[in-house]
Amino acid sequence: GRNLLVSQITWHDLTEDDVECLTSGGLQFNPSMTDNIGRCIVYDSMERIRYKANLNRLRVGWYLMMLACRNENVQRNGLVVVANRLGSNASIQYNIELGHKMSMQSRALPLRIIATHFCFDDRRIRPLISMAQLTLTQESRLRFRSHFGSQMECQY
């Protein structure tokens, strides 16, 4: 209802399954974790995240993004997303329905995603990433970088 719409989301609003998803470490937002320019980073690791239902992943994502929205540095400089898809099962686990809902969710948030870095090591998904980039808006394409290689190679 209207009361929930305008209230801040707190840890107590999360279900037990949401908390399990959050504490798995697959999604991380730490205001002290910044890039060289000082922009805050959201780290998304498909290998580490654990959730029982898509709704848990969406709720935790929304919770972390609302925390990010309260940060003055994020309000000023925007946010950098690092999507880590390194690992043997990362490409197989992709959930199209969840990806679509997460995309809708990010458009509803009042924050600017300045850059997205997509790190992967599976050659099979290279063409999919190229196709996905074609569907992005020009501004999003300019802010999207894919990095192919091992963990060490993607760090540079």
Side-chain angles (χ1 to χ4, degrees):
R2 189 178 303 267
N3 291 340
L4 288 177
L5 184 62
V6 296
S7 64
Q8 288 189 359
I9 299 172
T10 66
W11 180 271
H12 300 292
D13 295 323
L14 300 176
T15 67
E16 189 176 307
D17 292 340
D18 296 340
V19 170
E20 185 180 325
C21 176
L22 184 60
T23 57
S24 71
L27 270 178
Q28 300 174 21
F29 170 71
N30 181 343
S32 64
M33 193 165 59
T34 61
D35 64 5
N36 293 336
I37 301 171
R39 299 174 297 196
C40 290
I41 297 171
V42 169
Y43 180 76
D44 179 2
S45 172
M46 199 157 222
E47 275 290 297
R48 294 179 65 185
I49 195 162
R50 302 288 176 258
Y51 56 92
K52 291 185 179 174
N54 287 350
L55 182 61
N56 302 124
R57 170 63 177 82
L58 291 167
R59 288 171 55 97
V60 166
W62 187 264
Y63 172 74
L64 288 177
M65 293 303 102
M66 294 313 288
L67 286 179
C69 287
R70 294 183 209 151
N71 183 286
E72 287 184 32
N73 186 22
V74 172
Q75 292 172 14
R76 245 188 331 272
N77 301 323
L79 197 62
V80 175
V81 175
V82 176
N84 181 358
R85 300 301 181 257
L86 300 169
S88 58
N89 295 326
S91 62
I92 297 166
Q93 293 176 355
Y94 187 72
N95 181 328
I96 293 172
E97 178 189 353
L98 178 61
H100 177 69
K101 288 181 178 180
M102 287 169 44
S103 173
M104 289 175 20
Q105 187 180 58
S106 69
R107 287 193 304 265
L109 291 166
L111 57 80
R112 292 178 308 144
I113 296 178
I114 298 299
T116 301
H117 296 275
F118 190 89
C119 306
F120 66 104
D121 60 358
D122 187 344
R123 292 184 192 284
R124 296 175 297 172
I125 63 171
R126 236 181 181 164
L128 297 174
I129 292 170
S130 296
M131 282 179 29
Q133 283 181 289
L134 293 174
T135 65
L136 296 174
T137 64
Q138 183 178 4
E139 182 180 348
S140 296
R141 249 191 330 271
L142 291 172
R143 298 178 185 280
F144 181 88
R145 294 288 177 265
S146 63
H147 307 277
F148 175 77
S150 67
Q151 179 79 35
M152 183 63 75
E153 292 168 326
C154 287
Q155 288 178 353
Y156 297 98

